[in-house]
Amino acid sequence: MMSSRAMSRSNSAKQRGGSSLAGGEEEGGGGRAQWSQQAYSLEDVAQTFTLPLVVRCQAASVLTRRDSPLPLNLAHPVMLHSQRTIRKLLARNVLMDPRTRRYTETDETIVIPSDYAGHFLCLKSRTAKDQAVHRSVESLSAHSVTAFVNLTQLTTFQLPPNTSPSNSYPQLDFAPGNVFIPDRPVRGSTRIKGGLLSPSNKHELHYLRCRDERDVEVLVPMNQPGEFVEILRNPHGNGKLSMTSSEIVATQKFPMLVRYVYGGAKPRLTAFSGLLTLLDSFEETSLVGCVIDGSSFTLLEIPLSSPLMFQIALNNSDLMHLPLLKQASRVCEFRAANFTSDLKFKFKFAIQVPELSRGPEPSSDDDDPLSATNSTRLGITQTYIYL
């Protein structure tokens, strides 16, 4: 819960800099933007104006936790480049808890567009807390699972290549989260030396022969305990185990635990194990653009339903001829398509809407957490952007 002490207001005066467009209306000449007195919602922007369009967010209304500042500077002007409507998957990041050594869902969420080019493996467990796991390798073999993910550390022995005359089987240890495809159970034996008065004994061993993600063949001892979760077959019957996000959207079975396989860049998370809990799918219209900060031109996507308000550059057509705006336009044209269809981090924060406020602003000396009732009284609402 956000406390008022931990909450800080975005200060556009302190954050200003790096953009020649940041001037007010009175500085309209020399490449300065002439900002409208009226502020518009993104819905109004989409209905009233033609893109691309330079806007300025009313960043003073943004409230963030001090331990989670905005990863970009909303005080800088933004070029809104295009509008997009698509169905998305909402997912929660799953990480290993170092205290319990078990996977658990975090507060970090990402969105996966239905046109994302990557692939995922759907697991039999619905969430990270689901107990539908196998407790031994022998159980995996008995149930003839197609593939599995180890949730605990796994010890295996690497098989030598067929062309190798070696009988050596080096030990390979796998951290949790790896994918294995079983081949068949095999038997082996080892000879245990006896004492001076007893013969040597032959000890039979049982293994499950598997391939890992790198196509390395390994032997996994059948009696090895642990936790393993089964990978489900792709119900669309295309011969692959993995599924695309559009195929997952079509299944409409949530929540669903998935394992990332490949595709695009990894999302901007503090850590990424590859495991995600898919919470739901939804259709959303958003505006895509970039922050005009003079150097990196950070891409962002803002849902049309966002309560953020923006001032419009009244001299937008004149600004588009500036080198800075030309560069921003090129960034959007060449990078926005990949950005919008890739995995994105959902950064959540609060804003204060003055017309909804029914009380004094939160005091910086107040340590009491803001309840839902107090948030409503203060006109504070939650929103998010995609990065």
Side-chain angles (χ1 to χ4, degrees), residues 309-355:
M309 301 295 289
F310 295 85
Q311 293 171 278
I312 305 302
L314 299 175
N315 56 339
N316 186 70
S317 58
D318 296 330
L319 295 175
M320 289 301 170
H321 300 292
L322 297 175
L324 188 67
L325 270 296
K326 288 182 178 180
Q327 179 63 23
S329 182
R330 284 194 292 268
V331 168
C332 290
E333 288 173 3
F334 289 105
R335 292 171 49 196
N338 288 336
F339 168 75
T340 53
S341 62
D342 209 346
L343 306 177
K344 283 180 290 297
F345 175 46
K346 180 180 179 180
F347 185 86
K348 293 165 281 189
F349 57 97
I351 71 167
Q352 186 167 34
V353 184
E355 56 267 28

Side-chain angles (χ1 to χ4, degrees), residues 349-383:
F349 57 97
I351 71 167
Q352 186 167 34
V353 184
E355 56 267 28
L356 299 180
S357 177
R358 298 197 298 273
E361 290 194 16
S363 168
S364 60
D365 296 325
D366 183 7
D367 286 330
D368 294 332
L370 285 176
S371 65
T373 301
N374 286 337
S375 293
T376 302
R377 177 173 58 83
L378 296 169
I380 294 174
T381 185
Q382 301 291 321
T383 188

